[in-house]
Amino acid sequence: TEGSSVPPGSKGSWASFLKSITSFSGDLSSLTAPPFILSGVSLVEYSSYWAEHPSLFVAPAKEKDPAKRALAVLTWFISTLKQQYSSRNEHLGSEKKPLNPFLGELFLGRWQDEAGTTQLVSEQVCHHPPVTAYCIWNGEHGVRLQGYNGQKASISKALTIHIKQIGHALLHIDEFNEDYLITLPSLHIEGVYGGAPYVELNKSSFIQSSSGYTAKIDYSGKGWLSGKKNSFTATLYHEGREKDPLYTIDGQWTGSFSTKEGKSKNVIASYDPAKHPLTKLVVASIEEQDEMESRRAWQKVAHAISKGDMDTTSAEKSRIENEQRALRVKEKEDGREWNRFFFTRAKSDPVLDALAPKLGEIIESDKTDGVWLWDAEKAKNSKPPFKNRS
Ligand code: HCR
């Protein structure tokens, strides 16, 4: 095909892959894709995108004014979008298919910088359908984010992959005993036909605070006004008073954006990603890692993918899948469920139940057979080496 990014040797396998996805719906992880589109990074690592700018993550805790605090939360959230949805394009040339985490897979790390220590625990709490739960916290600043997410996919005739995210995130700020419910945007993947997939965000997502503020972020692919890709407009208002914004932010979530007061054109702050370098996540070396930790568990697969060695990739993947299957069979025989390391499934979460109704129907289909909650008791008792890392 003209303008195709598919490597010459992969045309055939890409054509069969395209054929296979036209008749698919649901769980994307079940698709077998050609090696050039595979990444050796597991989806369990993606939780780290929430806090690659620790200073922005903790900034709301320093803000005394509640409206400005809500604005700091919104600014941090928008700053994470570039990492979440376009970093693979930037580093790998296109969106890639991540490794499908196994049940109990862990990704642990910490950021160390001027914001102090910010810690990350990400755990695959469900394999079928895939659900990842995470908790990110900075003890010095008293800020904690916890959440979980899964994806539901469908494919249109034009080969656009539409993805609805299931789940949400909750940010807690100790100093003000304040909670923020963050909903996750829907997305679609374009450029699939030509073998150079990339993500665009759809529609809107919301942040609802317990202090009575709502933020609405509207995403528009080409930009209503600017015509630029990855555009958005966000407004922050007293709940129920959408027509009367306190702040408006617009720009590109992959680029820069500016904040204005009310509906005015008066810019009070601007954000340029080039001026906010990322803090690198510190992850234990593979030798130090537990066998449940992602990079250790997938080491051979990741290596084979990077070499384009499909035989080893599938052999090593099958080995992990078979081990997992055997574990599930054993659990069934014993009449027990896999015990998650850091999270517990609950019927409901009081914080979510208090904030979600303020957003109406938006979050209704959010449950993945209950909600996943960070379990401080479990975390305390987690066996070493996890403990020794903090
Ligand atoms: C859809 C996606 C896997 C899920 C990824 C999620 C939604 C995961 C949670 C993160 O917080 C945000 C996030 C960002 C990614 O953009 C999104 C991925 C984009 C592609 C990937 C598919 C499973 C890959 C499909 C295979 C194609 C490229 C052929």
Side-chain angles (χ1 to χ4, degrees), residues 314-330:
S314 44
E316 287 299 327
K317 264 192 186 170
S318 303
R319 191 180 52 77
I320 293 178
E321 282 157 14
N322 292 338
E323 280 171 16
Q324 287 294 310
R325 259 192 289 275
L327 281 173
R328 302 296 87 82
V329 169
K330 183 84 179 66

PDB file of all heavy atoms in Angstrom, residues 314-330:
ATOM      1  N   SER A 314       7.326 -16.546  20.673  1.00  0.00           N
ATOM      2  CA  SER A 314       6.109 -17.318  20.959  1.00  0.00           C
ATOM      3  C   SER A 314       6.383 -18.489  21.893  1.00  0.00           C
ATOM      4  O   SER A 314       5.535 -18.810  22.717  1.00  0.00           O
ATOM      5  CB  SER A 314       5.367 -17.738  19.693  1.00  0.00           C
ATOM      6  OG  SER A 314       6.258 -18.204  18.761  1.00  0.00           O
ATOM      7  N   ALA A 315       7.580 -19.073  21.817  1.00  0.00           N
ATOM      8  CA  ALA A 315       7.886 -20.176  22.736  1.00  0.00           C
ATOM      9  C   ALA A 315       7.891 -19.673  24.186  1.00  0.00           C
ATOM     10  O   ALA A 315       7.304 -20.291  25.079  1.00  0.00           O
ATOM     11  CB  ALA A 315       9.240 -20.787  22.386  1.00  0.00           C
ATOM     12  N   GLU A 316       8.536 -18.524  24.405  1.00  0.00           N
ATOM     13  CA  GLU A 316       8.631 -17.985  25.774  1.00  0.00           C
ATOM     14  C   GLU A 316       7.278 -17.496  26.281  1.00  0.00           C
ATOM     15  O   GLU A 316       6.956 -17.632  27.456  1.00  0.00           O
ATOM     16  CB  GLU A 316       9.672 -16.856  25.834  1.00  0.00           C
ATOM     17  CG  GLU A 316      11.108 -17.356  25.748  1.00  0.00           C
ATOM     18  CD  GLU A 316      11.490 -18.297  26.904  1.00  0.00           C
ATOM     19  OE1 GLU A 316      10.972 -18.112  28.020  1.00  0.00           O
ATOM     20  OE2 GLU A 316      12.289 -19.211  26.680  1.00  0.00           O
ATOM     21  N   LYS A 317       6.503 -16.908  25.354  1.00  0.00           N
ATOM     22  CA  LYS A 317       5.149 -16.467  25.739  1.00  0.00           C
ATOM     23  C   LYS A 317       4.313 -17.674  26.144  1.00  0.00           C
ATOM     24  O   LYS A 317       3.608 -17.640  27.158  1.00  0.00           O
ATOM     25  CB  LYS A 317       4.454 -15.780  24.558  1.00  0.00           C
ATOM     26  CG  LYS A 317       4.562 -14.281  24.575  1.00  0.00           C
ATOM     27  CD  LYS A 317       3.605 -13.712  23.542  1.00  0.00           C
ATOM     28  CE  LYS A 317       3.785 -12.232  23.407  1.00  0.00           C
ATOM     29  NZ  LYS A 317       3.063 -11.674  22.281  1.00  0.00           N
ATOM     30  N   SER A 318       4.396 -18.722  25.349  1.00  0.00           N
ATOM     31  CA  SER A 318       3.605 -19.928  25.649  1.00  0.00           C
ATOM     32  C   SER A 318       4.008 -20.524  26.982  1.00  0.00           C
ATOM     33  O   SER A 318       3.162 -21.013  27.728  1.00  0.00           O
ATOM     34  CB  SER A 318       3.792 -21.002  24.577  1.00  0.00           C
ATOM     35  OG  SER A 318       3.443 -20.484  23.344  1.00  0.00           O
ATOM     36  N   ARG A 319       5.312 -20.471  27.270  1.00  0.00           N
ATOM     37  CA  ARG A 319       5.765 -21.028  28.544  1.00  0.00           C
ATOM     38  C   ARG A 319       5.068 -20.296  29.700  1.00  0.00           C
ATOM     39  O   ARG A 319       4.515 -20.922  30.611  1.00  0.00           O
ATOM     40  CB  ARG A 319       7.291 -20.882  28.651  1.00  0.00           C
ATOM     41  CG  ARG A 319       7.903 -21.649  29.805  1.00  0.00           C
ATOM     42  CD  ARG A 319       9.423 -21.460  29.860  1.00  0.00           C
ATOM     43  NE  ARG A 319       9.839 -20.059  29.849  1.00  0.00           N
ATOM     44  CZ  ARG A 319       9.780 -19.247  30.896  1.00  0.00           C
ATOM     45  NH1 ARG A 319       9.312 -19.688  32.042  1.00  0.00           N
ATOM     46  NH2 ARG A 319      10.176 -17.990  30.799  1.00  0.00           N
ATOM     47  N   ILE A 320       5.041 -18.960  29.621  1.00  0.00           N
ATOM     48  CA  ILE A 320       4.396 -18.177  30.690  1.00  0.00           C
ATOM     49  C   ILE A 320       2.896 -18.490  30.734  1.00  0.00           C
ATOM     50  O   ILE A 320       2.322 -18.726  31.798  1.00  0.00           O
ATOM     51  CB  ILE A 320       4.642 -16.659  30.475  1.00  0.00           C
ATOM     52  CG1 ILE A 320       6.132 -16.358  30.659  1.00  0.00           C
ATOM     53  CG2 ILE A 320       3.789 -15.813  31.416  1.00  0.00           C
ATOM     54  CD1 ILE A 320       6.556 -14.920  30.427  1.00  0.00           C
ATOM     55  N   GLU A 321       2.271 -18.531  29.561  1.00  0.00           N
ATOM     56  CA  GLU A 321       0.822 -18.796  29.514  1.00  0.00           C
ATOM     57  C   GLU A 321       0.482 -20.174  30.081  1.00  0.00           C
ATOM     58  O   GLU A 321      -0.494 -20.316  30.818  1.00  0.00           O
ATOM     59  CB  GLU A 321       0.304 -18.669  28.074  1.00  0.00           C
ATOM     60  CG  GLU A 321       0.120 -17.221  27.663  1.00  0.00           C
ATOM     61  CD  GLU A 321       0.159 -17.006  26.148  1.00  0.00           C
ATOM     62  OE1 GLU A 321       0.056 -18.014  25.390  1.00  0.00           O
ATOM     63  OE2 GLU A 321       0.317 -15.847  25.737  1.00  0.00           O
ATOM     64  N   ASN A 322       1.321 -21.159  29.766  1.00  0.00           N
ATOM     65  CA  ASN A 322       1.054 -22.507  30.276  1.00  0.00           C
ATOM     66  C   ASN A 322       1.212 -22.577  31.791  1.00  0.00           C
ATOM     67  O   ASN A 322       0.410 -23.206  32.476  1.00  0.00           O
ATOM     68  CB  ASN A 322       1.981 -23.533  29.610  1.00  0.00           C
ATOM     69  CG  ASN A 322       1.631 -23.686  28.140  1.00  0.00           C
ATOM     70  OD1 ASN A 322       0.499 -23.376  27.733  1.00  0.00           O
ATOM     71  ND2 ASN A 322       2.584 -24.129  27.331  1.00  0.00           N
ATOM     72  N   GLU A 323       2.242 -21.921  32.284  1.00  0.00           N
ATOM     73  CA  GLU A 323       2.426 -21.879  33.745  1.00  0.00           C
ATOM     74  C   GLU A 323       1.210 -21.258  34.414  1.00  0.00           C
ATOM     75  O   GLU A 323       0.726 -21.728  35.442  1.00  0.00           O
ATOM     76  CB  GLU A 323       3.657 -21.027  34.101  1.00  0.00           C
ATOM     77  CG  GLU A 323       4.970 -21.755  33.939  1.00  0.00           C
ATOM     78  CD  GLU A 323       6.168 -20.808  34.098  1.00  0.00           C
ATOM     79  OE1 GLU A 323       6.008 -19.668  34.622  1.00  0.00           O
ATOM     80  OE2 GLU A 323       7.261 -21.208  33.676  1.00  0.00           O
ATOM     81  N   GLN A 324       0.714 -20.187  33.785  1.00  0.00           N
ATOM     82  CA  GLN A 324      -0.455 -19.492  34.332  1.00  0.00           C
ATOM     83  C   GLN A 324      -1.682 -20.392  34.313  1.00  0.00           C
ATOM     84  O   GLN A 324      -2.430 -20.451  35.281  1.00  0.00           O
ATOM     85  CB  GLN A 324      -0.719 -18.208  33.529  1.00  0.00           C
ATOM     86  CG  GLN A 324       0.284 -17.112  33.802  1.00  0.00           C
ATOM     87  CD  GLN A 324       0.174 -16.606  35.231  1.00  0.00           C
ATOM     88  OE1 GLN A 324      -0.903 -16.281  35.716  1.00  0.00           O
ATOM     89  NE2 GLN A 324       1.286 -16.572  35.945  1.00  0.00           N
ATOM     90  N   ARG A 325      -1.860 -21.068  33.198  1.00  0.00           N
ATOM     91  CA  ARG A 325      -3.013 -21.981  33.086  1.00  0.00           C
ATOM     92  C   ARG A 325      -2.963 -23.046  34.177  1.00  0.00           C
ATOM     93  O   ARG A 325      -3.968 -23.327  34.831  1.00  0.00           O
ATOM     94  CB  ARG A 325      -3.033 -22.657  31.704  1.00  0.00           C
ATOM     95  CG  ARG A 325      -4.047 -22.002  30.766  1.00  0.00           C
ATOM     96  CD  ARG A 325      -4.258 -22.851  29.525  1.00  0.00           C
ATOM     97  NE  ARG A 325      -3.091 -22.820  28.644  1.00  0.00           N
ATOM     98  CZ  ARG A 325      -2.874 -21.860  27.737  1.00  0.00           C
ATOM     99  NH1 ARG A 325      -3.747 -20.899  27.578  1.00  0.00           N
ATOM    100  NH2 ARG A 325      -1.805 -21.874  26.988  1.00  0.00           N
ATOM    101  N   ALA A 326      -1.759 -23.587  34.405  1.00  0.00           N
ATOM    102  CA  ALA A 326      -1.607 -24.640  35.425  1.00  0.00           C
ATOM    103  C   ALA A 326      -1.955 -24.088  36.813  1.00  0.00           C
ATOM    104  O   ALA A 326      -2.595 -24.766  37.620  1.00  0.00           O
ATOM    105  CB  ALA A 326      -0.183 -25.175  35.397  1.00  0.00           C
ATOM    106  N   LEU A 327      -1.535 -22.851  37.065  1.00  0.00           N
ATOM    107  CA  LEU A 327      -1.845 -22.242  38.373  1.00  0.00           C
ATOM    108  C   LEU A 327      -3.349 -22.099  38.566  1.00  0.00           C
ATOM    109  O   LEU A 327      -3.886 -22.385  39.640  1.00  0.00           O
ATOM    110  CB  LEU A 327      -1.197 -20.849  38.471  1.00  0.00           C
ATOM    111  CG  LEU A 327       0.287 -20.796  38.785  1.00  0.00           C
ATOM    112  CD1 LEU A 327       0.798 -19.354  38.674  1.00  0.00           C
ATOM    113  CD2 LEU A 327       0.556 -21.320  40.188  1.00  0.00           C
ATOM    114  N   ARG A 328      -4.044 -21.664  37.480  1.00  0.00           N
ATOM    115  CA  ARG A 328      -5.506 -21.481  37.567  1.00  0.00           C
ATOM    116  C   ARG A 328      -6.213 -22.812  37.798  1.00  0.00           C
ATOM    117  O   ARG A 328      -7.165 -22.890  38.558  1.00  0.00           O
ATOM    118  CB  ARG A 328      -6.074 -20.819  36.305  1.00  0.00           C
ATOM    119  CG  ARG A 328      -5.536 -19.446  35.907  1.00  0.00           C
ATOM    120  CD  ARG A 328      -5.841 -18.345  36.903  1.00  0.00           C
ATOM    121  NE  ARG A 328      -4.875 -18.226  37.967  1.00  0.00           N
ATOM    122  CZ  ARG A 328      -3.699 -17.588  37.900  1.00  0.00           C
ATOM    123  NH1 ARG A 328      -3.327 -17.015  36.791  1.00  0.00           N
ATOM    124  NH2 ARG A 328      -2.894 -17.526  38.951  1.00  0.00           N
ATOM    125  N   VAL A 329      -5.716 -23.868  37.150  1.00  0.00           N
ATOM    126  CA  VAL A 329      -6.326 -25.189  37.311  1.00  0.00           C
ATOM    127  C   VAL A 329      -6.186 -25.632  38.771  1.00  0.00           C
ATOM    128  O   VAL A 329      -7.132 -26.063  39.414  1.00  0.00           O
ATOM    129  CB  VAL A 329      -5.651 -26.217  36.361  1.00  0.00           C
ATOM    130  CG1 VAL A 329      -6.068 -27.642  36.703  1.00  0.00           C
ATOM    131  CG2 VAL A 329      -5.979 -25.889  34.912  1.00  0.00           C
ATOM    132  N   LYS A 330      -4.983 -25.440  39.284  1.00  0.00           N
ATOM    133  CA  LYS A 330      -4.693 -25.826  40.675  1.00  0.00           C
ATOM    134  C   LYS A 330      -5.601 -25.058  41.642  1.00  0.00           C
ATOM    135  O   LYS A 330      -6.165 -25.644  42.592  1.00  0.00           O
ATOM    136  CB  LYS A 330      -3.211 -25.527  40.960  1.00  0.00           C
ATOM    137  CG  LYS A 330      -2.719 -25.919  42.324  1.00  0.00           C
ATOM    138  CD  LYS A 330      -2.327 -27.402  42.340  1.00  0.00           C
ATOM    139  CE  LYS A 330      -1.802 -27.884  43.672  1.00  0.00           C
ATOM    140  NZ  LYS A 330      -2.723 -27.907  44.777  1.00  0.00           N
TER     141      LYS A 330
END
